[in-house]
Amino acid sequence: TLFRSMDVPFMLPPWDAFPPMPGMPPGMPPMMHPFPFDFPGAPHAMRGRGRGGGRGRGGPGAGAGGRGRGRGGSHSEAGPVEVKNNYCQHFVDTGLRPQNFIRDHEPNDRFEEYPKLKELMKLKKEVIRKRATPPMYLHTDLKTFDLQSLGMRFDVILVDPPWEEYARRVSGFAHSNFDLTPWTLEEMMNLRIDLIADTPSFCFLWVGTAEGLDQGRHLLRKWGFRRCEDICWLKTNAKRQDSSSAMIVPDESSILHHTKEHCLMGIRGTVRRSTDGHFIHANIDTDIIVGEEPPYGSTEKPTELYDLIEHFCLGRRRLELFGEDHNIRPGWLTIGKSISSSNFSADTYSKWFEGDVRYPDAPSYEGGKLLGTLPEIENLRPKSPTRTNQITEDSTSSNATAATAASTSTAPGPAGMGPTV
């Protein structure tokens, strides 16, 4: 693309024409050279070429933003160009993270250039909104609460347990109404999530960035799930105006600055993308969430995960454990010790899922365990292609059936009767 956009003919010089770099042997191939277009005789348009920032804003050190390319710096015959859009150095200097400059990551902007996906999201959100049950929530201590008293099994279970990492991270900053006392791995394993998870079902488990990455896999296995995905939340801090709020907080337990968190996804039972479209719609969202980090001292997670879950799983029975007031949401039952009040009624909640109806036959939140869909959604959503061996098997089976029918249709029947069918 870079060569095609130039108005002048250009030919790379031989390898030995590149100036040697400190610590690197002369004659390095151009594709491995640190500054492959910064050599005497190169067209000026190719020197210091760098990307601009996101839509409407420039990157660190960039003179202009916009969607195309902008000049990253000026050429000097005395030495290499200065790299302007150095997001890593910008992070060290200012505390602003490189992922702050990812463009179009907001859900409202993400599909502007993809009209079919934009229409798909619009239709799905409308169906989800109409079928969402009123929010229910329960203040309780999960260490002593019997999960089976909820009276049903669930299609989706979202868990954000108080890891020790959270306590280390917010030491001295925790809100007074949040109980961030860490749970041990044994206490988490004692949660009988296996008794309230339906088959098939999904579990989404926030695990942080430290010990939870390993322990979370043990929890999923203990609860009867097998890990199938790893969703990563890239935490931005672009909305922090002053340098003190965008400061780099040191973590003595790590050698790198942590700017992400992980959510492990587990599956119980078996679902197939090609045949279980009534229960899952796969490949609509990605496994990356780019969202603003909450104020220091909070363990709040991005709300986009709810959208991802609701787009993917068409089961309506959704449960969140270790929830807080800000987690209360239509379509979900939220349970936690940090919730300030309760409105949960097991009888009322179970009646919302009676019967075997779906949208559009069930236009409201009452009736049926499944969300439902529309022909327009089915036409727009990504689908898994039929495998070649499956086509061959189906074709072979059809041919065998036809041959059997042809042979039996001409077989002689008992005396005095026609052919046996």
Short mmCIF file of all heavy atoms in Angstrom, two decimals, residues 35 37-38 43-52 59-64 69-77 79-86:
data_model
loop_
_atom_site.label_atom_id
_atom_site.label_comp_id
_atom_site.label_asym_id
_atom_site.label_seq_id
_atom_site.Cartn_x
_atom_site.Cartn_y
_atom_site.Cartn_z
N PHE A 35 15.15 1.28 10.56
CA PHE A 35 14.65 2.43 9.80
C PHE A 35 14.83 2.14 8.31
O PHE A 35 15.70 2.69 7.65
CB PHE A 35 15.40 3.71 10.19
CG PHE A 35 15.28 4.03 11.64
CD1 PHE A 35 16.29 3.71 12.54
CD2 PHE A 35 14.14 4.65 12.13
CE1 PHE A 35 16.17 4.00 13.88
CE2 PHE A 35 14.01 4.95 13.49
CZ PHE A 35 15.03 4.62 14.36
N PHE A 37 13.42 3.04 5.64
CA PHE A 37 13.20 4.07 4.65
C PHE A 37 13.95 5.35 5.00
O PHE A 37 13.68 6.40 4.45
CB PHE A 37 11.71 4.37 4.52
CG PHE A 37 10.90 3.16 4.18
CD1 PHE A 37 9.89 2.74 5.03
CD2 PHE A 37 11.17 2.42 3.04
CE1 PHE A 37 9.16 1.63 4.72
CE2 PHE A 37 10.44 1.31 2.74
CZ PHE A 37 9.43 0.90 3.57
N ASP A 38 14.86 5.27 5.94
CA ASP A 38 15.61 6.45 6.33
C ASP A 38 17.07 6.27 5.92
O ASP A 38 17.94 5.96 6.72
CB ASP A 38 15.51 6.66 7.84
CG ASP A 38 16.14 7.97 8.24
OD1 ASP A 38 16.02 8.94 7.48
OD2 ASP A 38 16.74 8.03 9.32
N PRO A 43 13.05 8.50 -1.08
CA PRO A 43 12.10 9.60 -1.31
C PRO A 43 11.70 10.23 0.01
O PRO A 43 11.51 9.55 1.01
CB PRO A 43 10.92 8.91 -1.98
CG PRO A 43 11.46 7.64 -2.55
CD PRO A 43 12.58 7.23 -1.65
N HIS A 44 11.58 11.57 -0.02
CA HIS A 44 11.28 12.27 1.22
C HIS A 44 9.93 11.84 1.80
O HIS A 44 9.72 11.86 3.01
CB HIS A 44 11.26 13.78 0.96
CG HIS A 44 10.99 14.59 2.20
ND1 HIS A 44 11.94 14.77 3.17
CD2 HIS A 44 9.87 15.25 2.61
CE1 HIS A 44 11.42 15.52 4.14
NE2 HIS A 44 10.16 15.82 3.83
N ALA A 45 9.01 11.42 0.90
CA ALA A 45 7.68 11.04 1.39
C ALA A 45 7.73 9.81 2.26
O ALA A 45 6.80 9.55 3.01
CB ALA A 45 6.74 10.79 0.21
N MET A 46 8.82 9.03 2.17
CA MET A 46 8.88 7.79 2.94
C MET A 46 9.67 7.95 4.22
O MET A 46 9.74 7.03 5.01
CB MET A 46 9.50 6.68 2.10
CG MET A 46 8.74 6.39 0.82
SD MET A 46 9.38 4.95 -0.02
CE MET A 46 8.98 3.68 1.15
N ARG A 47 10.27 9.10 4.43
CA ARG A 47 11.09 9.29 5.62
C ARG A 47 10.22 9.75 6.78
O ARG A 47 9.42 10.65 6.64
CB ARG A 47 12.17 10.34 5.37
CG ARG A 47 13.14 9.93 4.27
CD ARG A 47 14.09 11.06 3.98
NE ARG A 47 14.97 10.74 2.87
CZ ARG A 47 15.72 11.63 2.25
NH1 ARG A 47 15.71 12.89 2.62
NH2 ARG A 47 16.50 11.26 1.26
N GLY A 48 10.42 9.11 7.93
CA GLY A 48 9.69 9.53 9.11
C GLY A 48 8.21 9.28 9.01
O GLY A 48 7.42 9.95 9.64
N ARG A 49 7.84 8.34 8.13
CA ARG A 49 6.42 8.08 7.92
C ARG A 49 5.85 7.37 9.13
O ARG A 49 6.36 6.36 9.59
CB ARG A 49 6.26 7.20 6.70
CG ARG A 49 4.83 7.11 6.20
CD ARG A 49 4.64 8.05 5.04
NE ARG A 49 3.36 7.81 4.39
CZ ARG A 49 2.86 8.59 3.47
NH1 ARG A 49 3.52 9.65 3.09
NH2 ARG A 49 1.70 8.34 2.92
N GLY A 50 4.78 7.86 9.72
CA GLY A 50 4.17 7.22 10.88
C GLY A 50 2.68 7.40 10.85
O GLY A 50 2.15 8.22 10.11
N ARG A 51 1.98 6.67 11.64
CA ARG A 51 0.53 6.75 11.69
C ARG A 51 0.09 7.90 12.56
O ARG A 51 0.70 8.20 13.58
CB ARG A 51 -0.07 5.45 12.23
CG ARG A 51 -0.04 4.33 11.22
CD ARG A 51 -0.96 3.21 11.66
NE ARG A 51 -0.98 2.17 10.65
CZ ARG A 51 -1.82 2.14 9.65
NH1 ARG A 51 -2.69 3.12 9.50
NH2 ARG A 51 -1.79 1.17 8.77
N GLY A 52 -1.01 8.50 12.17
CA GLY A 52 -1.64 9.52 12.99
C GLY A 52 -2.42 8.88 14.10
O GLY A 52 -2.42 7.69 14.29
N GLY A 59 -2.15 11.07 17.89
CA GLY A 59 -1.46 10.22 18.83
C GLY A 59 -0.45 11.03 19.61
O GLY A 59 -0.30 12.23 19.42
N PRO A 60 0.26 10.40 20.52
CA PRO A 60 1.24 11.13 21.32
C PRO A 60 2.33 11.72 20.44
O PRO A 60 3.02 11.01 19.72
CB PRO A 60 1.79 10.06 22.26
CG PRO A 60 1.45 8.77 21.62
CD PRO A 60 0.20 8.99 20.84
N GLY A 61 2.47 13.04 20.44
CA GLY A 61 3.49 13.72 19.67
C GLY A 61 3.09 13.98 18.24
O GLY A 61 3.86 14.57 17.50
N ALA A 62 1.90 13.53 17.82
CA ALA A 62 1.49 13.73 16.43
C ALA A 62 1.00 15.15 16.23
O ALA A 62 0.34 15.72 17.08
CB ALA A 62 0.39 12.73 16.07
N GLY A 63 1.31 15.69 15.06
CA GLY A 63 0.86 17.04 14.77
C GLY A 63 -0.57 17.08 14.30
O GLY A 63 -1.22 18.10 14.38
N ALA A 64 -1.06 15.98 13.76
CA ALA A 64 -2.43 15.96 13.26
C ALA A 64 -3.00 14.58 13.44
O ALA A 64 -2.30 13.59 13.37
CB ALA A 64 -2.47 16.35 11.78
N ARG A 69 -2.62 8.48 7.37
CA ARG A 69 -1.26 8.49 7.90
C ARG A 69 -0.79 9.93 8.06
O ARG A 69 -1.12 10.80 7.28
CB ARG A 69 -0.30 7.75 6.95
CG ARG A 69 -0.60 6.27 6.83
CD ARG A 69 0.34 5.65 5.83
NE ARG A 69 0.09 4.23 5.69
CZ ARG A 69 0.74 3.29 6.33
NH1 ARG A 69 1.67 3.62 7.17
NH2 ARG A 69 0.46 2.03 6.13
N GLY A 70 -0.01 10.15 9.07
CA GLY A 70 0.58 11.46 9.28
C GLY A 70 2.08 11.32 9.43
O GLY A 70 2.58 10.25 9.72
N ARG A 71 2.81 12.40 9.25
CA ARG A 71 4.27 12.32 9.35
C ARG A 71 4.66 12.10 10.79
O ARG A 71 4.23 12.80 11.68
CB ARG A 71 4.91 13.59 8.81
CG ARG A 71 4.71 13.76 7.30
CD ARG A 71 5.61 14.82 6.74
NE ARG A 71 5.35 15.04 5.34
CZ ARG A 71 5.81 14.27 4.39
NH1 ARG A 71 6.56 13.23 4.70
NH2 ARG A 71 5.52 14.51 3.13
N GLY A 72 5.49 11.09 11.04
CA GLY A 72 5.91 10.79 12.39
C GLY A 72 7.10 11.61 12.83
O GLY A 72 7.43 11.65 14.00
N GLY A 73 7.78 12.30 11.92
CA GLY A 73 8.92 13.09 12.32
C GLY A 73 9.64 13.63 11.11
O GLY A 73 9.25 13.41 9.97
N SER A 74 10.72 14.34 11.31
CA SER A 74 11.48 14.92 10.20
C SER A 74 12.78 14.17 10.03
O SER A 74 13.33 13.61 10.96
CB SER A 74 11.76 16.40 10.49
OG SER A 74 12.47 16.53 11.70
N HIS A 75 13.28 14.19 8.77
CA HIS A 75 14.50 13.45 8.46
C HIS A 75 15.72 14.33 8.73
O HIS A 75 15.71 15.52 8.48
CB HIS A 75 14.47 13.02 7.00
CG HIS A 75 15.74 12.38 6.55
ND1 HIS A 75 16.10 11.12 6.96
CD2 HIS A 75 16.72 12.85 5.75
CE1 HIS A 75 17.27 10.82 6.40
NE2 HIS A 75 17.66 11.85 5.66
N SER A 76 16.74 13.70 9.25
CA SER A 76 18.01 14.39 9.48
C SER A 76 19.12 13.55 8.89
O SER A 76 19.19 12.34 9.13
CB SER A 76 18.24 14.59 10.99
OG SER A 76 19.52 15.12 11.22
N GLU A 77 19.98 14.20 8.06
CA GLU A 77 21.08 13.46 7.46
C GLU A 77 22.09 13.01 8.50
O GLU A 77 22.86 12.09 8.27
CB GLU A 77 21.79 14.35 6.42
CG GLU A 77 20.90 14.75 5.24
CD GLU A 77 20.53 13.56 4.38
OE1 GLU A 77 21.22 12.53 4.49
OE2 GLU A 77 19.56 13.65 3.63
N GLY A 79 21.43 11.61 11.40
CA GLY A 79 21.02 10.45 12.18
C GLY A 79 19.61 10.04 11.83
O GLY A 79 18.97 10.63 10.96
N PRO A 80 19.10 9.03 12.49
CA PRO A 80 17.75 8.53 12.19
C PRO A 80 16.69 9.51 12.68
O PRO A 80 16.95 10.41 13.48
CB PRO A 80 17.69 7.22 12.98
CG PRO A 80 18.66 7.41 14.11
CD PRO A 80 19.77 8.26 13.55
N VAL A 81 15.48 9.32 12.17
CA VAL A 81 14.38 10.18 12.56
C VAL A 81 13.97 9.88 13.99
O VAL A 81 14.23 8.81 14.52
CB VAL A 81 13.17 9.98 11.63
CG1 VAL A 81 13.49 10.34 10.22
CG2 VAL A 81 12.67 8.55 11.73
N GLU A 82 13.33 10.84 14.61
CA GLU A 82 12.76 10.63 15.93
C GLU A 82 11.37 10.06 15.79
O GLU A 82 10.54 10.59 15.05
CB GLU A 82 12.69 11.96 16.68
CG GLU A 82 12.05 11.83 18.07
CD GLU A 82 11.85 13.18 18.72
OE1 GLU A 82 12.23 14.18 18.09
OE2 GLU A 82 11.30 13.22 19.83
N VAL A 83 11.12 8.94 16.45
CA VAL A 83 9.82 8.31 16.37
C VAL A 83 8.84 9.11 17.21
O VAL A 83 8.99 9.23 18.42
CB VAL A 83 9.88 6.85 16.86
CG1 VAL A 83 8.50 6.20 16.78
CG2 VAL A 83 10.88 6.06 16.03
N LYS A 84 7.82 9.69 16.55
CA LYS A 84 6.88 10.55 17.25
C LYS A 84 5.78 9.76 17.96
O LYS A 84 5.49 10.01 19.11
CB LYS A 84 6.25 11.54 16.26
CG LYS A 84 7.23 12.55 15.69
CD LYS A 84 7.74 13.48 16.76
CE LYS A 84 8.65 14.55 16.17
NZ LYS A 84 9.18 15.45 17.21
N ASN A 85 5.16 8.84 17.26
CA ASN A 85 4.05 8.09 17.84
C ASN A 85 4.55 6.89 18.63
O ASN A 85 4.24 5.75 18.34
CB ASN A 85 3.08 7.63 16.74
CG ASN A 85 2.32 8.80 16.14
OD1 ASN A 85 2.42 9.91 16.66
ND2 ASN A 85 1.59 8.55 15.09
N ASN A 86 5.34 7.16 19.64
CA ASN A 86 5.88 6.12 20.50
C ASN A 86 4.97 6.02 21.72
O ASN A 86 5.14 6.73 22.71
CB ASN A 86 7.32 6.47 20.91
CG ASN A 86 7.99 5.31 21.62
OD1 ASN A 86 7.35 4.46 22.21
ND2 ASN A 86 9.32 5.28 21.55
#
